Amino acid sequence: MLQIKNLMITHLKDNRVLLDNFSLTINPGDKAAIIGEEGNGKSTLLKLIYDETIVESYIEYSGEIIRNNLQIGYLAQELPEREKELSVYEFMCEMPMFFEVTPKELSEVARFLQIPAETFYEEQKMGQLSGGEKIKVQLARIILKKPDILLLDEPSNDLDIATIHWLEKFIRESELPILYISHDEVLLENTANMIVHLEQIKRKMDSRATVIKSSYRDYVNHRAAGLVKQEQQARKERSEYQKQQEKFRQIQQKVEHQQNVISRQDPAGGRLLKKSMHRIKAYEARFEKEYENMTEIPETEDAIFIKFGEKASIPAGKVVLEYEVPQLMVGERVLAENVVLNMRGPEKVCIIGRNGCGKTTLLRKIAEEMLERKDIKVSYMPQNYEELLDMEQTPVDFLCEVGDKDEVSKVRTYLGSMKYTADEMGHKIGDLSGGQKAKLLLLKMSMSGSNVLILDEPTRNFSPLSNPVIRNMLKNFGGAILTVSHDRKYIEEVATKVYELTEQGLVVREETV
């Protein structure tokens, strides 16, 4: 059993409290999903539970983390750069227990993970593996340590749909308790029996944590109903307060007038009026106290990107893309033959396919051609944000074209609407979360007036509560969108046409993914 008692985490850079008086117990059978907006400290919490030395350079914490001599298996969101350069065999060899594992045990783990046992002896570098292969090799090393609990940081990122189905089965059927972060709503719906919701409210001045034994869908529905009720109550209280204030002001003005007129002629009456004024001041103090204790108007994550691309459009039937290549290649390796893709008008095309089949390569090649077009305005969002973002710049620097006072003010307003704090606007982009970086790219696209978007996994770094907003924004975008995605909700709600990239080229998919 893992226990956390009265945990407080403070970010050293801006002295922001990420968690306050947070307590959590993970028992056998728990599949506890951590959710929350981008940059709310989800990954920091997992790292702290696993090994406080990983985060000691940028946080302070107090409280207790009681591990009870548990053997903890931790899957990081990103492989460290050093480990990316290791071969699969070298990566496995860094765990001393690997040399004590029998061939039978290794075969059983490989069969469970649905990979060949020979994989563990390959010379291919870890950084060159597909997303699914990388996750499975890391899980193999974790499983061979025989952990008592698993901590998984966004394990579904970069996985193809078939591997996500496998991961869901793994989480559901594992006998180990699992504490994990995920942005995949379908995965959450299919796996979680406990929700840990971390929030930053009041312009990120306060933190709030909700821990509830519940499925994800039940939690979302219960929360939505509660927010509606809370908002109704808050607005009712404010309406009544305004009426009381108006009545109070009228009484106060009347007494002040009488005091000015009568006190000079009637000292006794003046004293009575003075007492009345004292009572009015007491009422005023009481009203202020009531105002402070009013039900808060709830903060939610659905206020971002409301005006994204509102003027973007493209005529129906206009040729957006006519792309044809005999062979899609990486180096000397042929990934697919006879790739043909046509787009017209405001279509929203999504490309799916197994990990390593060449989706990102294809999208990058198409983007290179389309960005040169003069008859359409194209924006590209790569899977690796560092292709377009300077990690040393601030968000304000990245979004500004000329940097004059008016532009800076406008940019800061936009960033504020997306819940960037004043401190975060001045942070280096490299210090921001993946979701915050994704917001920057989407905002840049919106400000550019693009009517064609090329997006590689656009929803992968947004919280499950932000993603419905992102999907709705893209669904209502007036231009054309070409996307690579494994997000099943995105494919269902946004895509008007779905292709699967195979070795024989692009194949139209009609069935549900």
Side-chain angles (χ1 to χ4, degrees):
M1 181 172 68
L2 174 70
Q3 285 183 289
I4 299 172
K5 293 184 178 180
N6 307 317
L7 183 64
M8 181 175 182
I9 301 176
T10 304
H11 200 292
L12 293 174
K13 185 152 192 172
D14 51 20
N15 206 33
R16 180 160 59 96
V17 176
L18 299 176
L19 277 175
D20 189 13
N21 197 30
F22 174 73
S23 296
L24 175 68
T25 300
I26 301 295
N27 291 304
D30 285 341
K31 308 299 166 60
I34 304 176
I35 64 171
E37 257 190 291
E38 306 75 37
N40 278 4
K42 302 182 295 296
S43 294
T44 297
L45 174 60
L46 274 196
K47 291 173 184 175
L48 178 61
I49 294 170
Y50 176 62
D51 179 0
E52 59 268 20
T53 63
I54 301 176
V55 293
E56 63 184 4
S57 64
Y58 67 90
I59 68 155
E60 286 182 346
Y61 78 96
S62 60
E64 294 182 89
I65 301 175
I66 305 170
R67 300 177 179 86
N68 294 308
N69 296 316
L70 292 172
Q71 176 75 274
I72 298 176
Y74 170 64
L75 178 72
Q77 186 179 144
E78 291 273 348
L79 265 179
E81 290 301 318
R82 184 189 70 81
E83 293 187 349
K84 288 180 182 177
E85 293 303 312
L86 298 177
S87 70
V88 176
Y89 179 63
E90 289 170 335
F91 179 78
M92 297 301 295
C93 287
E94 290 210 334
M95 179 191 69
M97 196 178 296
F98 180 64
F99 298 101
E100 301 172 14
V101 176
T102 67
K104 181 181 178 182
E105 289 174 321
L106 205 58
S107 294
E108 287 175 352
V109 170
R111 186 165 57 253
F112 174 68
L113 296 173
Q114 298 180 4
I115 54 176
E118 299 77 35
T119 301
F120 304 129
Y121 299 95
E122 288 184 0
E123 291 303 316
Q124 187 174 9
K125 289 185 177 181
M126 288 292 296
Q128 295 173 343
L129 297 178
S130 70
E133 291 168 336
K134 205 178 298 177
I135 290 290
K136 289 183 177 184
V137 170
Q138 290 177 84
L139 281 174
R141 196 170 81 168
I142 290 168
I143 291 169
L144 289 170
K145 290 181 180 179
K146 297 182 170 57
D148 302 303
I149 184 172
L150 295 178
L151 309 181
L152 310 178
D153 194 348
E154 297 189 30
S156 62
N157 265 10
D158 303 326
L159 299 187
D160 58 40
I161 292 169
T163 310
I164 291 173
H165 285 306
W166 170 86
L167 179 65
E168 288 177 352
K169 187 172 184 290
F170 171 81
I171 294 174
R172 276 198 313 270
E173 297 181 3
S174 175
E175 296 178 359
L176 300 174
I178 303 177
L179 180 62
Y180 62 106
I181 299 168
S182 180
H183 294 156
D184 187 322
E185 292 160 79
V186 180
L187 182 141
L188 290 169
E189 290 170 356
N190 291 340
T191 58
N193 59 21
M194 177 187 246
I195 302 298
V196 181
H197 186 185
L198 307 185
E199 298 178 88
Q200 297 278 296
I201 58 175
K202 297 180 181 176
R203 302 290 299 171
K204 298 191 179 181
M205 297 298 290
D206 286 348
S207 65
R208 180 168 65 199
T210 303
V211 178
I212 185 170
K213 280 274 193 179
S214 168
S215 69
Y216 176 72
R217 187 48 51 195
D218 284 349
Y219 172 70
V220 170
N221 292 339
H222 176 76
R223 177 176 180 268
L227 289 173
V228 169
K229 186 176 180 180
Q230 181 183 339
E231 182 166 3
Q232 290 173 342
Q233 180 67 23
R235 297 200 182 282
K236 180 181 178 183
E237 290 174 7
R238 279 157 180 74
S239 176
E240 291 174 352
Y241 174 79
Q242 291 300 328
K243 292 176 183 176
Q244 287 177 335
Q245 283 290 90
E246 182 59 33
K247 186 176 180 180
F248 170 77
R249 279 193 293 269
Q250 291 174 0
I251 294 171
Q252 187 178 32
Q253 289 170 0
K254 182 177 180 181
V255 171
E256 286 175 347
H257 175 73
Q258 290 175 335
Q259 193 176 32
N260 291 334
V261 173
I262 296 173
S263 59
R264 292 189 293 271
Q265 303 170 359
D266 182 3
R271 285 193 292 274
L272 288 174
L273 287 171
K274 192 173 182 180
K275 289 182 180 179
S276 297
M277 184 57 73
H278 280 307
R279 285 197 297 273
I280 288 171
K281 293 295 183 185
Y283 286 142
E284 184 176 22
R286 192 185 77 187
F287 286 152
E288 290 304 314
K289 193 70 175 177
E290 287 178 358
Y291 184 78
E292 291 175 6
N293 295 327
M294 276 185 189
T295 303
E296 292 183 358
I297 293 176
E299 285 195 32
T300 63
E301 293 158 293
D302 59 2
I304 57 175
F305 305 129
I306 294 300
K307 297 182 179 179
F308 179 87
E310 59 181 346
K311 295 181 181 178
S313 64
I314 199 160
K318 177 177 175 59
V319 175
V320 175
L321 176 65
E322 290 182 338
Y323 185 82
E324 185 172 348
V325 61
Q327 291 182 320
L328 178 65
M329 302 181 69
V330 172
E332 299 298 317
R333 182 184 167 203
V334 178
L335 300 173
E337 306 268 2
N338 302 317
V339 177
V340 178
L341 180 61
N342 297 315
M343 287 180 62
R344 297 185 182 276
E347 286 188 322
K348 295 174 175 61
V349 172
C350 182
I351 299 173
I352 64 173
R354 60 176 175 76
N355 286 125
C357 71
K359 301 182 298 298
T360 291
T361 300
L362 174 60
L363 206 67
R364 188 182 291 115
K365 289 179 180 294
I366 291 174
E368 288 172 0
E369 287 193 13
M370 294 187 72
L371 286 166
E372 299 297 320
R373 294 264 296 273
K374 303 300 182 185
D375 59 322
I376 51 178
K377 178 70 172 175
V378 180
S379 286
Y380 172 50
M381 180 182 185
Q383 188 178 128
N384 178 9
Y385 303 146
E386 293 187 20
E387 291 180 28
L388 296 182
L389 295 175
D390 180 346
M391 297 295 114
E392 295 298 312
Q393 277 189 315
T394 68
V396 173
D397 292 337
F398 172 71
L399 293 172
C400 284
E401 295 289 338
V402 294
D404 61 31
K405 184 177 179 181
D406 288 343
E407 185 185 39
V408 170
S409 178
K410 181 174 72 172
V411 163
R412 293 180 72 87
T413 299
Y414 285 150
L415 288 168
S417 73
M418 296 192 299
K419 301 191 178 180
Y420 277 81
T421 65
D423 286 330
E424 288 169 337
M425 295 177 199
H427 284 179
K428 291 180 181 179
I429 291 174
D431 294 334
L432 302 177
S433 71
Q436 289 171 311
K437 293 171 186 171
K439 283 181 179 180
L440 280 183
L441 290 174
L442 288 174
L443 182 52
K444 186 82 166 182
M445 289 179 178
S446 179
M447 293 172 67
S448 73
S450 296
N451 58 0
V452 177
L453 307 181
I454 303 175
L455 311 173
D456 196 347
E457 296 282 4
T459 60
R460 64 194 288 263
N461 280 311
F462 288 108
S463 84
L465 296 173
S466 293
N467 261 325
V469 183
I470 306 300
R471 291 196 301 270
N472 189 60
M473 172 196 79
L474 295 174
K475 179 181 178 180
N476 293 318
F477 179 68
I481 302 177
L482 175 61
T483 318
V484 165
S485 182
H486 298 135
D487 181 338
R488 289 162 286 178
K489 294 273 189 184
Y490 176 92
I491 294 167
E492 178 185 350
E493 296 177 18
V494 179
T496 57
K497 192 175 291 184
V498 180
Y499 293 94
E500 181 176 4
L501 182 58
T502 70
E503 292 179 356
Q504 291 74 44
L506 288 167
V507 178
V508 176
R509 283 290 298 266
E510 303 290 347
E511 68 271 24
T512 304
V513 295

